[in-house]
Short mmCIF file of all heavy atoms in Angstrom, two decimals:
data_model
loop_
_atom_site.label_atom_id
_atom_site.label_comp_id
_atom_site.label_asym_id
_atom_site.label_seq_id
_atom_site.Cartn_x
_atom_site.Cartn_y
_atom_site.Cartn_z
N ARG A 4 -55.34 -14.07 11.11
CA ARG A 4 -54.07 -14.09 11.52
C ARG A 4 -54.02 -13.13 12.71
O ARG A 4 -54.44 -11.95 12.61
CB ARG A 4 -53.03 -13.80 10.66
CG ARG A 4 -51.49 -13.76 11.11
CD ARG A 4 -50.56 -13.21 10.02
NE ARG A 4 -50.55 -14.18 8.98
CZ ARG A 4 -49.99 -14.09 7.74
NH1 ARG A 4 -49.51 -12.81 7.39
NH2 ARG A 4 -50.04 -14.99 6.84
N ILE A 5 -53.46 -13.45 13.89
CA ILE A 5 -53.26 -12.63 15.03
C ILE A 5 -51.79 -12.29 15.15
O ILE A 5 -50.95 -13.08 15.22
CB ILE A 5 -53.76 -13.38 16.38
CG1 ILE A 5 -55.07 -14.01 16.22
CG2 ILE A 5 -53.58 -12.38 17.55
CD1 ILE A 5 -56.17 -12.95 15.98
N VAL A 6 -51.58 -10.87 15.12
CA VAL A 6 -50.23 -10.39 15.22
C VAL A 6 -50.15 -9.69 16.52
O VAL A 6 -50.86 -8.72 16.81
CB VAL A 6 -49.87 -9.44 14.09
CG1 VAL A 6 -48.54 -8.80 14.18
CG2 VAL A 6 -49.95 -10.27 12.80
N ILE A 7 -49.14 -10.01 17.46
CA ILE A 7 -48.96 -9.49 18.71
C ILE A 7 -47.57 -8.83 18.76
O ILE A 7 -46.63 -9.36 18.51
CB ILE A 7 -49.02 -10.54 19.74
CG1 ILE A 7 -50.45 -11.30 19.68
CG2 ILE A 7 -48.85 -10.07 21.13
CD1 ILE A 7 -50.53 -12.70 20.39
N HIS A 9 -45.01 -7.79 21.32
CA HIS A 9 -44.76 -8.41 22.62
C HIS A 9 -43.34 -7.99 23.13
O HIS A 9 -42.35 -7.84 22.47
CB HIS A 9 -44.66 -9.94 22.49
CG HIS A 9 -44.36 -10.58 23.69
ND1 HIS A 9 -43.12 -11.18 24.02
CD2 HIS A 9 -45.09 -11.01 24.89
CE1 HIS A 9 -43.06 -11.85 25.10
NE2 HIS A 9 -44.27 -11.59 25.69
N GLU A 12 -44.76 -9.38 28.41
CA GLU A 12 -45.98 -9.73 28.96
C GLU A 12 -46.28 -11.28 28.85
O GLU A 12 -45.87 -11.92 27.99
CB GLU A 12 -47.19 -8.92 28.16
CG GLU A 12 -46.84 -7.51 28.08
CD GLU A 12 -46.21 -7.16 26.73
OE1 GLU A 12 -45.58 -7.99 26.10
OE2 GLU A 12 -46.22 -5.99 26.49
N SER A 13 -47.09 -11.64 29.79
CA SER A 13 -47.55 -13.08 29.73
C SER A 13 -48.47 -13.22 28.48
O SER A 13 -49.34 -12.24 28.31
CB SER A 13 -48.28 -13.48 31.03
OG SER A 13 -49.06 -14.69 30.73
N LEU A 14 -48.49 -14.29 27.78
CA LEU A 14 -49.40 -14.47 26.66
C LEU A 14 -50.38 -15.56 27.02
O LEU A 14 -50.82 -16.25 25.96
CB LEU A 14 -48.52 -14.78 25.44
CG LEU A 14 -47.68 -13.57 24.83
CD1 LEU A 14 -46.89 -14.13 23.65
CD2 LEU A 14 -48.46 -12.41 24.59
N ASP A 15 -50.63 -15.85 28.15
CA ASP A 15 -51.49 -16.90 28.61
C ASP A 15 -52.92 -16.54 28.04
O ASP A 15 -53.68 -17.54 27.88
CB ASP A 15 -51.64 -17.02 30.09
CG ASP A 15 -50.30 -17.63 30.73
OD1 ASP A 15 -49.55 -18.27 29.92
OD2 ASP A 15 -50.06 -17.43 31.92
N TRP A 16 -53.31 -15.37 27.79
CA TRP A 16 -54.59 -15.01 27.47
C TRP A 16 -54.83 -15.40 26.02
O TRP A 16 -56.07 -15.68 25.58
CB TRP A 16 -54.71 -13.47 27.37
CG TRP A 16 -53.79 -12.68 26.61
CD1 TRP A 16 -52.56 -12.13 27.06
CD2 TRP A 16 -53.77 -12.39 25.19
NE1 TRP A 16 -51.91 -11.65 25.98
CE2 TRP A 16 -52.66 -11.63 24.92
CE3 TRP A 16 -54.82 -12.55 24.22
CZ2 TRP A 16 -52.34 -11.22 23.61
CZ3 TRP A 16 -54.57 -12.06 22.87
CH2 TRP A 16 -53.38 -11.39 22.66
N VAL A 17 -53.77 -15.68 25.24
CA VAL A 17 -54.00 -16.07 23.83
C VAL A 17 -54.79 -17.45 23.69
O VAL A 17 -55.71 -17.44 22.87
CB VAL A 17 -52.60 -16.17 23.07
CG1 VAL A 17 -52.84 -16.69 21.68
CG2 VAL A 17 -51.94 -14.89 23.05
N ARG A 18 -54.44 -18.36 24.48
CA ARG A 18 -55.13 -19.72 24.45
C ARG A 18 -56.58 -19.55 24.76
O ARG A 18 -57.43 -20.21 24.08
CB ARG A 18 -54.57 -20.68 25.40
CG ARG A 18 -53.21 -21.30 24.97
CD ARG A 18 -52.99 -22.51 25.71
NE ARG A 18 -51.58 -22.82 25.51
CZ ARG A 18 -50.59 -22.63 26.30
NH1 ARG A 18 -50.85 -22.28 27.50
NH2 ARG A 18 -49.32 -23.07 26.00
N ALA A 19 -56.95 -18.64 25.60
CA ALA A 19 -58.46 -18.52 25.97
C ALA A 19 -59.19 -17.54 24.96
O ALA A 19 -60.25 -17.71 24.70
CB ALA A 19 -58.60 -17.85 27.31
N ALA A 20 -58.42 -16.67 24.43
CA ALA A 20 -59.09 -15.74 23.52
C ALA A 20 -59.16 -16.06 22.00
O ALA A 20 -59.91 -15.55 21.22
CB ALA A 20 -58.53 -14.29 23.68
N VAL A 21 -58.20 -16.95 21.52
CA VAL A 21 -58.01 -17.08 20.08
C VAL A 21 -58.35 -18.59 19.97
O VAL A 21 -57.85 -19.50 20.53
CB VAL A 21 -56.53 -16.80 19.74
CG1 VAL A 21 -56.26 -17.21 18.28
CG2 VAL A 21 -56.18 -15.34 19.95
N PRO A 22 -59.23 -18.85 18.95
CA PRO A 22 -59.67 -20.25 18.67
C PRO A 22 -58.53 -21.08 18.07
O PRO A 22 -57.59 -20.52 17.46
CB PRO A 22 -60.65 -20.07 17.52
CG PRO A 22 -61.12 -18.68 17.55
CD PRO A 22 -60.06 -17.83 18.14
N ASN A 23 -58.48 -22.33 18.50
CA ASN A 23 -57.41 -23.38 18.00
C ASN A 23 -57.44 -23.24 16.54
O ASN A 23 -58.44 -23.15 15.79
CB ASN A 23 -57.87 -24.63 18.41
CG ASN A 23 -57.60 -24.96 19.91
OD1 ASN A 23 -56.73 -24.18 20.54
ND2 ASN A 23 -58.18 -25.89 20.49
N GLY A 24 -56.22 -23.32 15.97
CA GLY A 24 -56.08 -23.31 14.57
C GLY A 24 -55.87 -21.90 13.93
O GLY A 24 -55.55 -21.82 12.74
N THR A 25 -56.06 -20.84 14.73
CA THR A 25 -55.76 -19.58 14.17
C THR A 25 -54.30 -19.25 14.16
O THR A 25 -53.53 -19.65 15.15
CB THR A 25 -56.50 -18.55 15.17
OG1 THR A 25 -57.96 -18.83 15.29
CG2 THR A 25 -56.32 -17.16 14.63
N GLU A 26 -53.91 -18.76 13.11
CA GLU A 26 -52.53 -18.41 13.03
C GLU A 26 -52.02 -17.29 13.82
O GLU A 26 -52.74 -16.26 13.89
CB GLU A 26 -52.17 -17.98 11.51
CG GLU A 26 -50.73 -17.89 11.16
CD GLU A 26 -50.61 -17.52 9.67
OE1 GLU A 26 -51.54 -17.51 8.95
OE2 GLU A 26 -49.43 -17.28 9.25
N VAL A 27 -50.99 -17.45 14.73
CA VAL A 27 -50.53 -16.39 15.67
C VAL A 27 -49.14 -16.15 15.45
O VAL A 27 -48.20 -17.03 15.36
CB VAL A 27 -50.71 -16.95 17.10
CG1 VAL A 27 -50.04 -15.96 18.12
CG2 VAL A 27 -52.18 -17.20 17.52
N TRP A 28 -48.83 -14.84 15.20
CA TRP A 28 -47.49 -14.37 15.09
C TRP A 28 -47.12 -13.46 16.21
O TRP A 28 -48.00 -12.60 16.71
CB TRP A 28 -47.34 -13.51 13.81
CG TRP A 28 -47.49 -14.24 12.50
CD1 TRP A 28 -48.29 -15.21 12.09
CD2 TRP A 28 -46.58 -14.08 11.48
NE1 TRP A 28 -48.01 -15.57 10.84
CE2 TRP A 28 -46.96 -14.94 10.35
CE3 TRP A 28 -45.48 -13.19 11.10
CZ2 TRP A 28 -46.38 -14.93 9.15
CZ3 TRP A 28 -44.87 -13.25 9.97
CH2 TRP A 28 -45.26 -14.11 8.91
N VAL A 29 -46.00 -13.66 16.86
CA VAL A 29 -45.54 -12.86 18.06
C VAL A 29 -44.31 -12.08 17.57
O VAL A 29 -43.27 -12.73 17.25
CB VAL A 29 -45.32 -13.60 19.28
CG1 VAL A 29 -44.81 -12.77 20.41
CG2 VAL A 29 -46.55 -14.39 19.58
N TYR A 30 -44.35 -10.84 17.54
CA TYR A 30 -43.11 -9.92 17.20
C TYR A 30 -42.51 -9.58 18.60
O TYR A 30 -43.03 -8.74 19.28
CB TYR A 30 -43.49 -8.76 16.40
CG TYR A 30 -43.68 -8.98 14.99
CD1 TYR A 30 -44.90 -9.40 14.43
CD2 TYR A 30 -42.73 -8.88 14.00
CE1 TYR A 30 -45.22 -9.72 13.19
CE2 TYR A 30 -42.93 -9.17 12.72
CZ TYR A 30 -44.08 -9.53 12.24
OH TYR A 30 -44.29 -9.86 10.89
N HIS A 31 -41.59 -10.25 19.01
CA HIS A 31 -40.93 -10.25 20.28
C HIS A 31 -39.91 -9.06 20.32
O HIS A 31 -38.91 -9.18 19.58
CB HIS A 31 -40.36 -11.47 20.73
CG HIS A 31 -39.61 -11.44 22.04
ND1 HIS A 31 -40.38 -11.33 23.23
CD2 HIS A 31 -38.31 -11.46 22.36
CE1 HIS A 31 -39.47 -11.24 24.28
NE2 HIS A 31 -38.26 -11.39 23.81
N ARG A 38 -37.66 -14.77 25.76
CA ARG A 38 -39.00 -15.07 25.32
C ARG A 38 -39.49 -16.44 25.76
O ARG A 38 -38.59 -17.36 25.88
CB ARG A 38 -39.16 -14.98 23.69
CG ARG A 38 -38.45 -16.10 23.05
CD ARG A 38 -38.50 -15.81 21.50
NE ARG A 38 -37.65 -16.66 20.69
CZ ARG A 38 -38.08 -17.87 20.15
NH1 ARG A 38 -39.27 -18.12 20.33
NH2 ARG A 38 -37.32 -18.49 19.47
N VAL A 39 -40.65 -16.64 25.98
CA VAL A 39 -41.24 -17.96 26.46
C VAL A 39 -42.25 -18.32 25.42
O VAL A 39 -43.22 -17.70 25.15
CB VAL A 39 -41.84 -17.90 27.86
CG1 VAL A 39 -42.39 -19.23 28.16
CG2 VAL A 39 -40.89 -17.49 28.77
N VAL A 40 -41.94 -19.41 24.68
CA VAL A 40 -42.87 -19.88 23.64
C VAL A 40 -44.00 -20.73 24.42
O VAL A 40 -43.85 -21.75 24.98
CB VAL A 40 -42.22 -20.81 22.70
CG1 VAL A 40 -43.12 -21.28 21.59
CG2 VAL A 40 -41.14 -20.03 21.95
N HIS A 41 -45.19 -20.22 24.20
CA HIS A 41 -46.42 -20.88 24.84
C HIS A 41 -47.02 -21.92 23.93
O HIS A 41 -47.77 -22.77 24.35
CB HIS A 41 -47.49 -19.75 25.20
CG HIS A 41 -47.04 -18.93 26.26
ND1 HIS A 41 -47.29 -19.14 27.51
CD2 HIS A 41 -46.49 -17.68 26.12
CE1 HIS A 41 -46.75 -18.24 28.29
NE2 HIS A 41 -46.27 -17.19 27.54
N ASP A 42 -46.70 -21.84 22.69
CA ASP A 42 -47.29 -22.83 21.77
C ASP A 42 -46.32 -22.99 20.57
O ASP A 42 -45.88 -21.97 19.94
CB ASP A 42 -48.70 -22.36 21.16
CG ASP A 42 -49.45 -23.25 20.41
OD1 ASP A 42 -48.75 -23.98 19.49
OD2 ASP A 42 -50.59 -23.54 20.60
N PRO A 43 -45.86 -24.19 20.26
CA PRO A 43 -44.90 -24.33 19.23
C PRO A 43 -45.40 -23.93 17.81
O PRO A 43 -44.65 -23.77 16.88
CB PRO A 43 -44.53 -25.86 19.25
CG PRO A 43 -45.63 -26.49 20.09
CD PRO A 43 -46.27 -25.46 20.87
N SER A 44 -46.74 -23.83 17.72
CA SER A 44 -47.26 -23.51 16.35
C SER A 44 -47.18 -21.96 16.09
O SER A 44 -47.38 -21.55 14.94
CB SER A 44 -48.66 -23.92 16.20
OG SER A 44 -49.54 -23.18 17.07
N TRP A 45 -46.90 -21.19 17.22
CA TRP A 45 -46.94 -19.76 16.96
C TRP A 45 -45.64 -19.41 16.27
O TRP A 45 -44.62 -19.99 16.40
CB TRP A 45 -46.92 -18.95 18.30
CG TRP A 45 -48.14 -19.18 19.03
CD1 TRP A 45 -49.25 -19.77 18.67
CD2 TRP A 45 -48.38 -18.76 20.40
NE1 TRP A 45 -50.23 -19.79 19.70
CE2 TRP A 45 -49.72 -19.07 20.76
CE3 TRP A 45 -47.61 -17.94 21.25
CZ2 TRP A 45 -50.19 -18.84 21.94
CZ3 TRP A 45 -48.21 -17.71 22.53
CH2 TRP A 45 -49.45 -18.10 22.81
N ARG A 46 -45.77 -18.35 15.40
CA ARG A 46 -44.54 -17.86 14.69
C ARG A 46 -43.95 -16.74 15.51
O ARG A 46 -44.58 -15.77 15.73
CB ARG A 46 -44.81 -17.40 13.30
CG ARG A 46 -43.65 -16.70 12.59
CD ARG A 46 -43.67 -16.95 11.17
NE ARG A 46 -42.47 -16.36 10.61
CZ ARG A 46 -42.44 -16.03 9.38
NH1 ARG A 46 -43.41 -16.15 8.52
NH2 ARG A 46 -41.41 -15.38 8.87
N TRP A 47 -42.72 -16.89 16.01
CA TRP A 47 -41.94 -15.86 16.73
C TRP A 47 -40.92 -15.21 15.86
O TRP A 47 -40.19 -15.76 15.13
CB TRP A 47 -41.19 -16.54 17.92
CG TRP A 47 -42.04 -16.88 19.03
CD1 TRP A 47 -42.75 -18.05 19.10
CD2 TRP A 47 -42.31 -16.10 20.23
NE1 TRP A 47 -43.34 -18.02 20.30
CE2 TRP A 47 -43.17 -16.93 21.00
CE3 TRP A 47 -41.88 -14.92 20.73
CZ2 TRP A 47 -43.65 -16.45 22.24
CZ3 TRP A 47 -42.28 -14.46 21.89
CH2 TRP A 47 -43.28 -15.19 22.65
N VAL A 48 -40.99 -13.86 15.96
CA VAL A 48 -40.11 -13.00 15.15
C VAL A 48 -39.45 -12.01 16.11
O VAL A 48 -40.06 -11.29 16.79
CB VAL A 48 -40.82 -12.06 14.02
CG1 VAL A 48 -39.84 -11.44 13.17
CG2 VAL A 48 -41.72 -13.12 13.16
N VAL A 49 -38.14 -12.09 16.28
CA VAL A 49 -37.42 -11.30 17.29
C VAL A 49 -36.98 -9.98 16.45
O VAL A 49 -36.32 -10.13 15.40
CB VAL A 49 -36.18 -12.02 17.86
CG1 VAL A 49 -35.45 -11.05 18.79
CG2 VAL A 49 -36.61 -13.24 18.62
N GLY A 80 -49.18 -7.07 23.57
CA GLY A 80 -48.98 -8.13 24.39
C GLY A 80 -49.93 -8.29 25.64
O GLY A 80 -50.17 -9.35 26.14
#
Side-chain angles (χ1 to χ4, degrees):
R4 177 181 294 164
I5 306 299
V6 174
I7 302 166
H9 178 257
E12 306 90 350
S13 169
L14 296 177
D15 292 339
W16 60 267
V17 177
R18 282 199 195 107
V21 177
N23 287 337
T25 303
E26 188 178 355
V27 175
W28 289 45
V29 179
Y30 284 85
H31 178 70
R38 71 182 174 95
V39 177
V40 177
H41 291 273
D42 187 315
S44 68
W45 296 356
R46 175 149 179 202
W47 283 84
V48 183
V49 178

